Amino acid sequence: VAKQQFQTVRGMYDLLPDRRSLFDYAAAAFINVAVDAGYGRIETPVLEDEGLYSRSQGQGVDLVDKELYRLIDLSDKTLALRPEGTAGVVRAYLEHGMGSLPQPVKLYYQEAMFRYDRPQEGRYRQHQQFGVEVIGDASPSVDAQVIMLAGRAFKRLRLQGVTLQINSIGDALCRPKFRKALIDYLNENVKQLAEIDRERLSKNPLRVLDSKEASTQVILGDAPQMLNFLCEKCQQHFAGVLEYLDDLGVSYDLNPLLVRGLDYYTRTVFEFYGEREGSQSSLGGGGRYDGLVETLGGVPTPAVGFAAGIERILLEMDAAGVVPPEQQIKRVYVASLGEPARLAAFRLIESLLDGNVSAVGAVDRDGIGAQLARAEKLGVPLAVIIGQKEVREETALLRDMATGAQETIPLKDVVAELRMRFGIS
Ligand code: HAM
């Protein structure tokens, strides 16, 4: 016997049916709130020009510098596997002239993302995100609506312990002043900076703010805060966002150290955290990216969005003991006994499926006891049994799996009977 040679690639995983349906349950909560709020689904390719991602991010962003899956295709083009959804959606917005549609354009997606990071629980090299993007509206109410949408989905999933952190990181006008003040401050305290943060300081100083390093965190307490550097317009915008959230009684933590790992953000940034212990507790995050459309070649167009990691939401659901409400599966098991019944069972399964009734069964295998045991295991509420006598009389036995009660009905009525019992109209 040959030894198994292949396994999933490090950091990637298979989703088997049970987990997959939990996955769909979680994703559906987000999809439903997005559809209700008027978002349309978009799907962009997994592969894009590598330049899309390097252009949309600045210098020193891990997502591009360290985590991007690059590949060269057979005609020497440099492509990349999608590490995040926003850049591709903005590319599509421009490519399809969505700027001429009524604004804002509201899009949502649920897609696989690829990041070459060190795998651990809650961090994978292929993961799935649900995301929304609202392109073409600068109003603070839209930031608040995007935040509300995410919060509503967490609530629907009964994840009570999810908390929201929010900050404003200003715009091209005011951020440079803050950046300079931060660099000066960090340079004064460079001795206390962890090694990795000294590197960040030279490449992307704002990233030092969300450092997890203990020694760095000590000096961050007294670091300059962006909120004190916001220009008037950014200040007003942020006050507007908070006012809308306050109006709805949303609780949030103002976190002056929140900057997020991607470089296209302006003004509002926010992140949702779960209760689960560990560093991978960010369930989702987003913010405004008013400069990205222009960076990618469009006319200046404000935008805001959010994305959540579905695996992390599942881990959070596991920890909180959330399971989907149990639903009785509407499916019938067809069991047959003996040679003459074989063809009748085979035909019946197909006519049930033709008639929109979910049906399974083993046509030419196993004894009746084994078949019923299997039906039991599958959790089906009903079984149809066809034996020699039934074939002769053109009938079938309908068995209630919970009580074991059986009744005989004409074979030709089975599909209609099951449609009625399962409420299929
Ligand atoms: P992000 O924070 O990089 O934002 O990713 C969004 C979420 O995806 C994270 O909060 C986390 O739950 C999940 N996630 C990220 N990386 C991994 C990973 N390696 N394994 C498992 N889950 C992960 C963005 O990607 C932005 N595009 C969000 C956005 C949309 N901003 C504006 N619009």
Side-chain angles (χ1 to χ4, degrees), residues 333 335 367-377 383 385 399 401:
Y333 189 95
I368 191 75
Q371 293 186 55
L372 288 179
R374 200 168 125 70
E376 189 87 51
K377 231 193 208 138
I385 304 167
R399 179 187 176 91
M401 293 299 294

Side-chain angles (χ1 to χ4, degrees), residues 72-223:
I72 300 185
D73 76 3
L74 294 176
S75 46
D76 279 338
K77 259 183 103 53
T78 307
L79 305 175
L81 293 188
R82 172 179 53 217
E84 62 99 33
T86 310
V89 169
V90 170
R91 185 216 25 84
Y93 175 89
L94 291 171
E95 189 167 335
H96 301 282
M98 289 190 235
S100 61
L101 299 174
Q103 305 290 299
V105 172
K106 298 163 80 176
L107 301 165
Y108 81 89
Y109 49 87
Q110 185 210 320
E111 284 174 336
M113 307 291 164
F114 300 83
R115 299 183 184 184
Y116 190 82
D117 201 349
R118 198 172 48 78
Q120 62 182 75
E121 190 182 54
R123 190 164 72 200
Y124 311 98
R125 290 183 173 172
Q126 174 175 343
H127 71 280
Q128 288 247 351
Q129 285 185 14
F130 167 87
V132 296
E133 313 293 350
V134 185
I135 307 176
D137 195 330
S139 159
S141 62
V142 182
D143 305 42
Q145 284 170 337
V146 167
I147 292 172
M148 292 307 297
L149 181 147
R152 186 172 302 122
F154 288 124
K155 246 183 241 134
R156 297 243 174 120
L157 291 172
R158 286 163 288 140
L159 295 174
Q160 320 289 358
V162 174
T163 54
L164 167 65
Q165 296 195 1
I166 188 167
N167 190 23
S168 173
I169 58 169
D171 64 7
L173 195 68
C174 52
R175 202 178 328 155
K177 289 180 203 135
F178 167 65
R179 205 179 126 98
K180 179 161 187 323
L182 181 67
I183 293 173
D184 290 348
Y185 174 82
L186 293 175
N187 274 326
E188 279 163 31
N189 295 280
V190 74
K191 286 208 184 79
Q192 276 154 279
L193 274 188
E195 185 61 39
I196 181 168
D197 290 323
R198 285 185 206 173
E199 200 185 307
R200 286 191 182 123
L201 172 57
S202 64
K203 284 190 177 162
N204 190 349
L206 288 189
R207 292 293 292 159
V208 177
L209 290 177
D210 65 1
S211 169
K212 306 279 181 293
E213 307 293 321
S215 57
T216 303
Q217 283 186 348
V218 175
I219 59 167
L220 286 180
D222 291 326

Side-chain angles (χ1 to χ4, degrees), residues 63 67 83-87 109 113-115 117-118 120 122-134 260-262 264-265 270-272 280-289 304-313:
L63 189 83
E67 299 171 7
E84 62 99 33
T86 310
Y109 49 87
M113 307 291 164
F114 300 83
R115 299 183 184 184
D117 201 349
R118 198 172 48 78
Q120 62 182 75
R123 190 164 72 200
Y124 311 98
R125 290 183 173 172
Q126 174 175 343
H127 71 280
Q128 288 247 351
Q129 285 185 14
F130 167 87
V132 296
E133 313 293 350
V134 185
R260 304 213 1 96
L262 308 173
Y264 45 57
Y265 291 114
F270 59 90
E271 200 137 343
F272 287 92
Q280 305 305 317
S281 61
S282 165
L283 301 179
R288 195 160 262 294
Y289 48 96
V304 58
F306 158 83
I310 303 183
E311 292 82 359
R312 295 205 190 157
I313 292 172

